[in-house]
Protein backbone atom coordinates (compact mmCIF):
# COMPACT_ATOMS: atom_id res chain seq x y z
CA UNK A 1 0.00 0.00 0.00
CA UNK A 2 1.35 3.48 -0.90
CA UNK A 3 2.06 5.87 1.96
CA UNK A 4 1.20 9.59 2.25
CA UNK A 5 3.45 11.66 -0.11
CA UNK A 6 3.63 14.46 2.49
CA UNK A 7 5.53 12.23 4.89
CA UNK A 8 9.31 12.13 4.65
CA UNK A 9 10.51 8.81 3.34
CA UNK A 10 7.12 7.96 1.81
CA UNK A 11 7.20 5.20 -0.78
CA UNK A 12 4.79 3.77 -3.31
CA UNK A 13 3.65 0.13 -3.77
CA UNK A 14 6.91 -0.63 -5.60
CA UNK A 15 9.00 0.75 -2.76
CA UNK A 16 10.05 3.86 -4.65
CA UNK A 17 10.27 7.24 -2.88
CA UNK A 18 7.37 9.60 -3.47
CA UNK A 19 8.20 13.26 -3.99
CA UNK A 20 5.77 16.00 -2.97
CA UNK A 21 5.78 18.17 -6.12
CA UNK A 22 3.98 21.10 -4.53
CA UNK A 23 6.55 21.42 -1.74
CA UNK A 24 9.53 21.32 -4.09
CA UNK A 25 7.83 23.70 -6.50
CA UNK A 26 7.54 26.29 -3.71
CA UNK A 27 11.20 25.75 -2.87
CA UNK A 28 12.17 26.29 -6.51
CA UNK A 29 10.16 29.51 -6.68
CA UNK A 30 12.00 30.96 -3.71
CA UNK A 31 15.42 29.88 -4.91
CA UNK A 32 17.16 32.74 -6.78
CA UNK A 33 19.24 30.25 -8.75
CA UNK A 34 16.19 29.23 -10.80
CA UNK A 35 14.62 32.66 -11.11
CA UNK A 36 10.90 33.50 -10.89
CA UNK A 37 8.10 31.20 -11.86
CA UNK A 38 7.63 30.64 -15.56
CA UNK A 39 4.05 30.73 -16.76
CA UNK A 40 3.15 28.16 -19.37
CA UNK A 41 5.82 27.69 -22.02
CA UNK A 42 6.98 31.30 -22.19
CA UNK A 43 10.74 31.78 -22.30
CA UNK A 44 10.44 35.25 -20.84
CA UNK A 45 9.90 35.10 -17.04
CA UNK A 46 8.41 38.61 -17.01
CA UNK A 47 4.89 39.18 -18.30
CA UNK A 48 4.76 42.41 -20.37
CA UNK A 49 1.86 44.80 -20.38
CA UNK A 50 -0.82 44.34 -23.04
CA UNK A 51 -0.35 46.34 -26.20
CA UNK A 52 -3.19 48.72 -25.36
CA UNK A 53 -1.41 49.87 -22.18
CA UNK A 54 2.08 50.34 -23.63
CA UNK A 55 3.52 53.79 -24.24
CA UNK A 56 5.64 55.13 -27.10
CA UNK A 57 9.39 54.77 -27.13
CA UNK A 58 11.19 57.15 -24.76
CA UNK A 59 14.72 58.33 -24.43
CA UNK A 60 16.95 56.31 -22.10
CA UNK A 61 17.51 58.23 -18.86
CA UNK A 62 20.32 56.14 -17.31
CA UNK A 63 23.72 55.42 -18.83
CA UNK A 64 24.55 51.83 -19.74
CA UNK A 65 28.12 51.91 -18.34
CA UNK A 66 29.37 49.08 -20.53
CA UNK A 67 32.94 49.40 -19.23
CA UNK A 68 32.21 49.63 -15.48
CA UNK A 69 33.48 46.05 -14.82
CA UNK A 70 36.35 46.24 -17.28
CA UNK A 71 39.61 44.77 -15.95
CA UNK A 72 37.99 43.11 -12.90
CA UNK A 73 38.44 39.46 -11.92
CA UNK A 74 35.67 37.27 -10.48
CA UNK A 75 35.53 33.74 -9.22
CA UNK A 76 32.52 31.89 -10.62
CA UNK A 77 31.44 28.56 -9.16
CA UNK A 78 28.49 26.23 -9.66
CA UNK A 79 26.66 27.94 -6.79
CA UNK A 80 27.20 31.54 -7.94
CA UNK A 81 23.95 33.34 -8.63
CA UNK A 82 23.30 34.52 -12.16
CA UNK A 83 23.74 38.29 -11.60
CA UNK A 84 27.29 37.61 -10.35
CA UNK A 85 28.36 35.07 -12.94
CA UNK A 86 30.06 37.66 -15.13
CA UNK A 87 28.72 39.46 -18.15
CA UNK A 88 25.76 41.83 -18.21
CA UNK A 89 22.70 41.16 -16.08
CA UNK A 90 19.43 42.72 -17.19
CA UNK A 91 17.28 43.23 -14.10
CA UNK A 92 14.23 44.09 -16.22
CA UNK A 93 14.18 40.88 -18.24
CA UNK A 94 16.11 38.84 -15.64
CA UNK A 95 18.56 37.43 -18.12
CA UNK A 96 22.36 37.19 -18.31
CA UNK A 97 24.18 38.36 -21.45
CA UNK A 98 27.83 37.59 -21.99
CA UNK A 99 29.18 40.41 -24.19
CA UNK A 100 28.58 44.15 -24.57
CA UNK A 101 27.41 44.01 -28.20
CA UNK A 102 24.67 41.50 -27.38
CA UNK A 103 23.70 43.50 -24.30
CA UNK A 104 23.37 46.69 -26.33
CA UNK A 105 21.27 44.86 -28.92
CA UNK A 106 19.08 43.44 -26.15
CA UNK A 107 18.54 46.86 -24.50
CA UNK A 108 17.47 48.37 -27.82
CA UNK A 109 15.38 45.35 -28.77
CA UNK A 110 11.68 44.61 -28.72
CA UNK A 111 11.65 42.27 -25.72
CA UNK A 112 13.38 44.66 -23.34
CA UNK A 113 11.24 47.64 -24.33
CA UNK A 114 8.05 45.60 -24.02
CA UNK A 115 9.04 44.62 -20.49
CA UNK A 116 9.58 48.31 -19.76
CA UNK A 117 6.03 48.99 -20.89
CA UNK A 118 6.85 50.53 -24.26
CA UNK A 119 6.14 49.49 -27.81
CA UNK A 120 8.48 49.97 -30.76
CA UNK A 121 6.53 52.95 -32.12
CA UNK A 122 7.70 56.54 -31.97
CA UNK A 123 5.24 59.22 -31.00
CA UNK A 124 4.18 61.48 -33.87
CA UNK A 125 4.62 65.12 -32.97
CA UNK A 126 2.91 68.00 -34.75
CA UNK A 127 4.50 71.13 -36.14
CA UNK A 128 3.25 73.31 -33.27
CA UNK A 129 5.05 71.23 -30.65
CA UNK A 130 8.24 71.32 -32.68
CA UNK A 131 8.04 75.11 -32.96
CA UNK A 132 7.42 75.46 -29.22
CA UNK A 133 10.38 73.22 -28.48
CA UNK A 134 12.66 75.19 -30.80
CA UNK A 135 11.54 78.46 -29.21
CA UNK A 136 12.24 77.17 -25.72
CA UNK A 137 15.68 75.92 -26.79
CA UNK A 138 16.42 79.25 -28.47
CA UNK A 139 15.51 81.19 -25.32
CA UNK A 140 17.69 78.97 -23.20
CA UNK A 141 20.63 79.37 -25.57
CA UNK A 142 20.18 83.16 -25.69
CA UNK A 143 20.16 83.40 -21.91
CA UNK A 144 23.25 81.26 -21.72
CA UNK A 145 24.97 83.33 -24.40
CA UNK A 146 24.19 86.62 -22.60
CA UNK A 147 25.62 85.24 -19.38
CA UNK A 148 28.67 83.95 -21.21
CA UNK A 149 29.25 87.30 -22.95
CA UNK A 150 28.96 89.25 -19.69
CA UNK A 151 31.38 86.87 -18.01
CA UNK A 152 33.82 87.16 -20.93
CA UNK A 153 33.65 90.98 -20.89
CA UNK A 154 34.31 91.05 -17.17
CA UNK A 155 37.26 88.69 -17.57
CA UNK A 156 38.72 90.84 -20.37
CA UNK A 157 38.37 94.00 -18.27
CA UNK A 158 40.16 92.35 -15.38
CA UNK A 159 42.95 91.23 -17.70
CA UNK A 160 43.34 94.77 -19.09
CA UNK A 161 43.51 96.22 -15.56
CA UNK A 162 46.20 93.73 -14.61
CA UNK A 163 48.19 94.63 -17.75
CA UNK A 164 47.94 98.34 -16.93
CA UNK A 165 49.15 97.73 -13.39
CA UNK A 166 52.10 95.73 -14.69
CA UNK A 167 53.00 98.47 -17.16
CA UNK A 168 52.88 101.12 -14.42
CA UNK A 169 55.12 99.04 -12.17
CA UNK A 170 57.60 98.55 -15.03
CA UNK A 171 57.65 102.30 -15.73
CA UNK A 172 58.27 103.06 -12.06
CA UNK A 173 61.13 100.59 -11.99
CA UNK A 174 62.62 102.07 -15.17
CA UNK A 175 62.31 105.60 -13.80
CA UNK A 176 64.01 104.60 -10.57
CA UNK A 177 66.80 102.87 -12.46
CA UNK A 178 67.16 105.89 -14.84
CA UNK A 179 67.39 108.29 -11.87
CA UNK A 180 70.18 106.27 -10.32
CA UNK A 181 72.00 106.15 -13.62
CA UNK A 182 71.71 109.95 -14.01
CA UNK A 183 73.14 110.52 -10.54
CA UNK A 184 76.00 108.16 -11.26
CA UNK A 185 76.70 109.96 -14.56
CA UNK A 186 76.75 113.37 -12.86
CA UNK A 187 79.17 112.11 -10.22
CA UNK A 188 81.41 110.63 -12.90
CA UNK A 189 81.36 113.88 -14.91
CA UNK A 190 82.25 115.91 -11.81
CA UNK A 191 85.13 113.59 -11.01
CA UNK A 192 86.37 113.71 -14.60
CA UNK A 193 86.18 117.55 -14.60
CA UNK A 194 88.24 117.78 -11.42
CA UNK A 195 90.83 115.41 -12.85
CA UNK A 196 91.07 117.48 -16.04
CA UNK A 197 91.61 120.71 -14.04
CA UNK A 198 94.41 119.10 -12.06
CA UNK A 199 96.07 117.90 -15.25
CA UNK A 200 95.88 121.39 -16.78
CA UNK A 201 97.46 122.99 -13.70
CA UNK A 202 100.23 120.41 -13.77
CA UNK A 203 100.85 121.06 -17.45
CA UNK A 204 100.99 124.83 -16.89
CA UNK A 205 103.47 124.42 -14.00
CA UNK A 206 105.70 122.16 -16.06
CA UNK A 207 105.70 124.70 -18.90
CA UNK A 208 106.82 127.54 -16.60
CA UNK A 209 109.64 125.46 -15.17
CA UNK A 210 110.86 124.55 -18.64
CA UNK A 211 111.10 128.22 -19.69
CA UNK A 212 113.01 129.14 -16.52
CA UNK A 213 115.51 126.36 -16.97
CA UNK A 214 116.06 127.40 -20.57
CA UNK A 215 116.77 131.01 -19.51
CA UNK A 216 119.21 129.90 -16.81
CA UNK A 217 121.02 127.65 -19.24
CA UNK A 218 121.26 130.44 -21.79
CA UNK A 219 122.76 132.76 -19.11
CA UNK A 220 125.21 130.07 -17.97
CA UNK A 221 123.73 129.84 -14.53
CA UNK A 222 123.16 126.51 -12.70
CA UNK A 223 119.71 124.99 -13.03
CA UNK A 224 119.82 122.83 -9.91
CA UNK A 225 121.47 122.47 -6.50
CA UNK A 226 123.52 119.42 -7.38
Amino acid sequence: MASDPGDEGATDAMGRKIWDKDVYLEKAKQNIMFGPERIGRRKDPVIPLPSSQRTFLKRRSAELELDKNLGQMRTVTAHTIKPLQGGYWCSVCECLIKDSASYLEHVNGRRHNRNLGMNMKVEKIGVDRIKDKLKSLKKETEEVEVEDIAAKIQALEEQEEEKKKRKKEKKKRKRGAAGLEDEEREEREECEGEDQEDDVEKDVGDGDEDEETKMLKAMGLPTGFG
Side-chain angles (χ1 to χ4, degrees):
M1 182 178 178
S3 56
D4 188 5
D7 299 335
E8 293 184 0
T11 57
D12 59 2
M14 302 294 295
R16 294 174 296 186
K17 187 174 181 178
I18 298 174
W19 301 92
D20 191 349
K21 294 182 180 180
D22 296 332
V23 174
Y24 287 101
L25 183 61
E26 290 295 328
K27 287 183 180 180
K29 287 179 183 179
Q30 307 207 355
N31 191 347
I32 195 170
M33 286 289 296
F34 295 96
E37 181 185 3
R38 295 179 182 272
I39 298 174
R41 295 183 178 180
R42 289 183 58 84
K43 294 183 179 179
D44 195 347
V46 181
I47 303 173
L49 292 172
S51 58
S52 60
Q53 297 180 9
R54 294 176 200 162
T55 60
F56 293 104
L57 277 176
K58 295 179 182 178
R59 183 179 178 182
R60 190 183 299 116
S61 58
E63 293 184 1
L64 295 178
E65 296 180 355
L66 298 176
D67 55 348
K68 65 177 181 180
N69 296 325
L70 188 64
Q72 296 182 3
M73 296 179 66
R74 289 184 180 179
T75 303
V76 180
T77 63
H79 302 288
T80 305
I81 60 175
K82 282 187 176 181
L84 300 179
Q85 285 182 4
Y88 298 89
W89 174 256
C90 178
S91 58
V92 177
C93 304
E94 296 182 0
C95 61
L96 182 66
I97 301 167
K98 294 297 182 182
D99 59 279
S100 59
S102 300
Y103 179 69
L104 188 62
E105 187 177 355
H106 167 76
V107 168
N108 294 328
R110 187 187 299 268
R111 173 188 171 191
H112 182 80
N113 287 303
R114 277 184 177 177
N115 292 335
L116 286 173
M118 295 184 291
N119 52 31
M120 299 303 290
K121 296 178 181 179
V122 181
E123 184 181 3
K124 294 181 179 180
I125 300 173
V127 180
D128 296 333
R129 288 185 63 183
I130 294 172
K131 288 180 179 179
D132 295 337
K133 184 66 176 178
L134 292 173
K135 286 180 182 178
S136 62
L137 291 173
K138 190 175 181 181
K139 288 179 181 178
E140 289 177 0
T141 53
E142 284 178 355
E143 289 176 358
V144 172
E145 286 177 359
V146 169
E147 292 176 358
D148 293 341
I149 290 168
K152 286 179 180 179
I153 291 169
Q154 188 175 359
L156 290 171
E157 288 177 355
E158 290 176 357
Q159 289 179 0
E160 288 179 358
E161 288 179 359
E162 288 179 359
K163 287 180 181 179
K164 288 179 181 179
K165 288 180 181 178
R166 289 175 185 172
K167 286 181 180 179
K168 287 180 181 178
E169 289 177 358
K170 285 182 180 179
K171 286 181 180 179
K172 286 180 182 179
R173 290 175 187 172
K174 287 181 179 179
R175 286 175 184 174
L180 292 172
E181 289 178 358
D182 293 338
E183 290 177 0
E184 290 177 357
R185 284 178 186 174
E186 288 177 358
E187 289 178 358
R188 286 176 187 174
E189 288 176 357
E190 289 177 358
C191 293
E192 288 176 357
E194 291 176 357
D195 294 335
Q196 287 177 0
E197 288 177 358
D198 294 337
D199 293 337
V200 170
E201 289 177 357
K202 287 180 182 179
D203 293 337
V204 171
D206 294 338
D208 294 339
E209 289 178 357
D210 292 337
E211 289 178 357
E212 289 177 357
T213 51
K214 286 179 182 178
M215 291 289 289
L216 290 172
K217 284 180 181 179
M219 294 172 67
L221 296 172
T223 58
F225 297 98

Short mmCIF file of all heavy atoms in Angstrom, two decimals, residues 170-196:
data_model
loop_
_atom_site.label_atom_id
_atom_site.label_comp_id
_atom_site.label_asym_id
_atom_site.label_seq_id
_atom_site.Cartn_x
_atom_site.Cartn_y
_atom_site.Cartn_z
N LYS A 170 56.39 98.57 -14.21
CA LYS A 170 57.60 98.55 -15.03
C LYS A 170 58.13 99.96 -15.25
O LYS A 170 59.35 100.21 -15.17
CB LYS A 170 57.30 97.89 -16.38
CG LYS A 170 57.17 96.38 -16.30
CD LYS A 170 56.92 95.79 -17.68
CE LYS A 170 56.77 94.28 -17.62
NZ LYS A 170 56.51 93.71 -18.96
N LYS A 171 57.23 100.92 -15.53
CA LYS A 171 57.65 102.30 -15.73
C LYS A 171 58.30 102.87 -14.48
O LYS A 171 59.32 103.57 -14.54
CB LYS A 171 56.45 103.16 -16.13
CG LYS A 171 56.00 102.92 -17.57
CD LYS A 171 54.82 103.82 -17.92
CE LYS A 171 54.37 103.58 -19.35
NZ LYS A 171 53.19 104.43 -19.70
N LYS A 172 57.70 102.58 -13.31
CA LYS A 172 58.27 103.06 -12.06
C LYS A 172 59.68 102.50 -11.85
O LYS A 172 60.60 103.20 -11.45
CB LYS A 172 57.37 102.67 -10.89
CG LYS A 172 56.09 103.48 -10.81
CD LYS A 172 55.25 103.03 -9.63
CE LYS A 172 53.94 103.82 -9.56
NZ LYS A 172 53.09 103.37 -8.42
N ARG A 173 59.81 101.20 -12.13
CA ARG A 173 61.13 100.59 -11.99
C ARG A 173 62.13 101.22 -12.94
O ARG A 173 63.27 101.50 -12.56
CB ARG A 173 61.02 99.09 -12.26
CG ARG A 173 60.27 98.32 -11.18
CD ARG A 173 60.10 96.88 -11.59
NE ARG A 173 59.25 96.15 -10.65
CZ ARG A 173 58.82 94.92 -10.86
NH1 ARG A 173 59.15 94.28 -11.98
NH2 ARG A 173 58.07 94.33 -9.95
N LYS A 174 61.70 101.46 -14.19
CA LYS A 174 62.62 102.07 -15.17
C LYS A 174 63.00 103.48 -14.74
O LYS A 174 64.15 103.88 -14.86
CB LYS A 174 61.94 102.10 -16.54
CG LYS A 174 61.86 100.74 -17.21
CD LYS A 174 61.21 100.85 -18.57
CE LYS A 174 61.14 99.50 -19.25
NZ LYS A 174 60.48 99.57 -20.58
N ARG A 175 62.01 104.24 -14.25
CA ARG A 175 62.31 105.60 -13.80
C ARG A 175 63.28 105.59 -12.64
O ARG A 175 64.23 106.40 -12.58
CB ARG A 175 61.02 106.31 -13.40
CG ARG A 175 60.15 106.72 -14.59
CD ARG A 175 58.84 107.30 -14.11
NE ARG A 175 57.96 107.62 -15.23
CZ ARG A 175 56.71 108.04 -15.10
NH1 ARG A 175 56.18 108.19 -13.88
NH2 ARG A 175 55.99 108.32 -16.17
N GLY A 176 63.09 104.71 -11.69
CA GLY A 176 64.01 104.60 -10.57
C GLY A 176 65.41 104.24 -11.02
O GLY A 176 66.41 104.84 -10.59
N ALA A 177 65.49 103.27 -11.94
CA ALA A 177 66.80 102.87 -12.46
C ALA A 177 67.43 104.00 -13.26
O ALA A 177 68.64 104.27 -13.16
CB ALA A 177 66.65 101.63 -13.33
N ALA A 178 66.62 104.76 -14.04
CA ALA A 178 67.16 105.89 -14.84
C ALA A 178 67.65 107.00 -13.91
O ALA A 178 68.70 107.63 -14.16
CB ALA A 178 66.08 106.42 -15.77
N GLY A 179 66.95 107.26 -12.82
CA GLY A 179 67.39 108.29 -11.87
C GLY A 179 68.71 107.93 -11.25
O GLY A 179 69.62 108.78 -11.12
N LEU A 180 68.90 106.70 -10.88
CA LEU A 180 70.18 106.27 -10.32
C LEU A 180 71.29 106.39 -11.34
O LEU A 180 72.42 106.82 -11.03
CB LEU A 180 70.06 104.81 -9.85
CG LEU A 180 69.13 104.56 -8.64
CD1 LEU A 180 68.96 103.07 -8.41
CD2 LEU A 180 69.71 105.22 -7.39
N GLU A 181 70.98 106.03 -12.57
CA GLU A 181 72.00 106.15 -13.62
C GLU A 181 72.38 107.60 -13.85
O GLU A 181 73.58 107.93 -14.03
CB GLU A 181 71.47 105.53 -14.92
CG GLU A 181 71.38 104.02 -14.86
CD GLU A 181 70.81 103.45 -16.14
OE1 GLU A 181 70.46 104.26 -17.02
OE2 GLU A 181 70.72 102.20 -16.26
N ASP A 182 71.41 108.52 -13.82
CA ASP A 182 71.71 109.95 -14.01
C ASP A 182 72.60 110.47 -12.89
O ASP A 182 73.57 111.23 -13.14
CB ASP A 182 70.41 110.76 -14.07
CG ASP A 182 69.60 110.43 -15.32
OD1 ASP A 182 70.21 109.94 -16.30
OD2 ASP A 182 68.37 110.64 -15.31
N GLU A 183 72.30 110.08 -11.67
CA GLU A 183 73.14 110.52 -10.54
C GLU A 183 74.56 109.99 -10.69
O GLU A 183 75.54 110.72 -10.45
CB GLU A 183 72.52 110.03 -9.24
CG GLU A 183 71.22 110.73 -8.88
CD GLU A 183 70.61 110.18 -7.62
OE1 GLU A 183 71.22 109.25 -7.05
OE2 GLU A 183 69.54 110.67 -7.19
N GLU A 184 74.65 108.72 -11.07
CA GLU A 184 76.00 108.16 -11.26
C GLU A 184 76.75 108.88 -12.37
O GLU A 184 77.95 109.15 -12.27
CB GLU A 184 75.89 106.67 -11.58
CG GLU A 184 75.43 105.83 -10.39
CD GLU A 184 75.27 104.37 -10.76
OE1 GLU A 184 75.46 104.05 -11.96
OE2 GLU A 184 74.96 103.57 -9.86
N ARG A 185 76.05 109.22 -13.45
CA ARG A 185 76.70 109.96 -14.56
C ARG A 185 77.18 111.33 -14.10
O ARG A 185 78.31 111.75 -14.43
CB ARG A 185 75.71 110.13 -15.72
CG ARG A 185 75.50 108.87 -16.53
CD ARG A 185 74.48 109.12 -17.62
NE ARG A 185 74.15 107.90 -18.34
CZ ARG A 185 73.21 107.81 -19.24
NH1 ARG A 185 72.47 108.87 -19.55
NH2 ARG A 185 72.99 106.66 -19.86
N GLU A 186 76.35 112.04 -13.34
CA GLU A 186 76.75 113.37 -12.86
C GLU A 186 77.98 113.28 -11.97
O GLU A 186 78.92 114.10 -12.08
CB GLU A 186 75.58 114.00 -12.09
CG GLU A 186 74.42 114.43 -13.00
CD GLU A 186 73.26 114.97 -12.20
OE1 GLU A 186 73.36 114.96 -10.95
OE2 GLU A 186 72.25 115.37 -12.81
N GLU A 187 78.00 112.28 -11.08
CA GLU A 187 79.17 112.11 -10.22
C GLU A 187 80.43 111.82 -11.04
O GLU A 187 81.51 112.35 -10.78
CB GLU A 187 78.91 110.98 -9.23
CG GLU A 187 77.87 111.34 -8.17
CD GLU A 187 77.60 110.17 -7.24
OE1 GLU A 187 78.21 109.10 -7.48
OE2 GLU A 187 76.81 110.34 -6.31
N ARG A 188 80.27 110.97 -12.05
CA ARG A 188 81.41 110.63 -12.90
C ARG A 188 81.91 111.87 -13.65
O ARG A 188 83.12 112.13 -13.75
CB ARG A 188 81.03 109.56 -13.92
CG ARG A 188 80.87 108.18 -13.30
CD ARG A 188 80.40 107.20 -14.37
NE ARG A 188 80.09 105.90 -13.80
CZ ARG A 188 79.55 104.90 -14.48
NH1 ARG A 188 79.24 105.08 -15.76
NH2 ARG A 188 79.32 103.76 -13.87
N GLU A 189 80.97 112.67 -14.17
CA GLU A 189 81.36 113.88 -14.91
C GLU A 189 82.08 114.87 -13.99
O GLU A 189 83.07 115.49 -14.38
CB GLU A 189 80.11 114.52 -15.52
CG GLU A 189 79.55 113.73 -16.70
CD GLU A 189 78.27 114.34 -17.24
OE1 GLU A 189 77.81 115.34 -16.63
OE2 GLU A 189 77.73 113.82 -18.24
N GLU A 190 81.58 115.03 -12.74
CA GLU A 190 82.25 115.91 -11.81
C GLU A 190 83.67 115.45 -11.51
O GLU A 190 84.62 116.24 -11.48
CB GLU A 190 81.43 115.99 -10.51
CG GLU A 190 80.13 116.77 -10.67
CD GLU A 190 79.33 116.76 -9.39
OE1 GLU A 190 79.80 116.11 -8.42
OE2 GLU A 190 78.23 117.36 -9.36
N CYS A 191 83.80 114.13 -11.28
CA CYS A 191 85.13 113.59 -11.01
C CYS A 191 86.06 113.79 -12.19
O CYS A 191 87.24 114.17 -12.04
CB CYS A 191 85.04 112.11 -10.66
SG CYS A 191 84.20 111.79 -9.12
N GLU A 192 85.55 113.54 -13.41
CA GLU A 192 86.37 113.71 -14.60
C GLU A 192 86.78 115.18 -14.78
O GLU A 192 87.91 115.49 -15.15
CB GLU A 192 85.60 113.22 -15.83
CG GLU A 192 85.46 111.70 -15.88
CD GLU A 192 84.62 111.26 -17.05
OE1 GLU A 192 84.11 112.15 -17.77
OE2 GLU A 192 84.45 110.03 -17.25
N GLY A 193 85.86 116.13 -14.48
CA GLY A 193 86.18 117.55 -14.60
C GLY A 193 87.28 117.96 -13.62
O GLY A 193 88.20 118.71 -13.97
N GLU A 194 87.19 117.47 -12.40
CA GLU A 194 88.24 117.78 -11.42
C GLU A 194 89.58 117.22 -11.87
O GLU A 194 90.62 117.88 -11.74
CB GLU A 194 87.84 117.21 -10.06
CG GLU A 194 86.65 117.93 -9.42
CD GLU A 194 86.24 117.28 -8.13
OE1 GLU A 194 86.86 116.24 -7.79
OE2 GLU A 194 85.30 117.78 -7.47
N ASP A 195 89.57 116.01 -12.38
CA ASP A 195 90.83 115.41 -12.85
C ASP A 195 91.42 116.22 -14.00
O ASP A 195 92.64 116.43 -14.09
CB ASP A 195 90.59 113.96 -13.31
CG ASP A 195 90.19 113.07 -12.13
OD1 ASP A 195 90.55 113.44 -10.99
OD2 ASP A 195 89.55 112.03 -12.36
N GLN A 196 90.57 116.68 -14.92
CA GLN A 196 91.07 117.48 -16.04
C GLN A 196 91.68 118.81 -15.56
O GLN A 196 92.72 119.24 -16.05
CB GLN A 196 89.92 117.76 -17.03
CG GLN A 196 89.51 116.52 -17.83
CD GLN A 196 88.34 116.81 -18.74
OE1 GLN A 196 87.84 117.94 -18.75
NE2 GLN A 196 87.91 115.79 -19.48
#
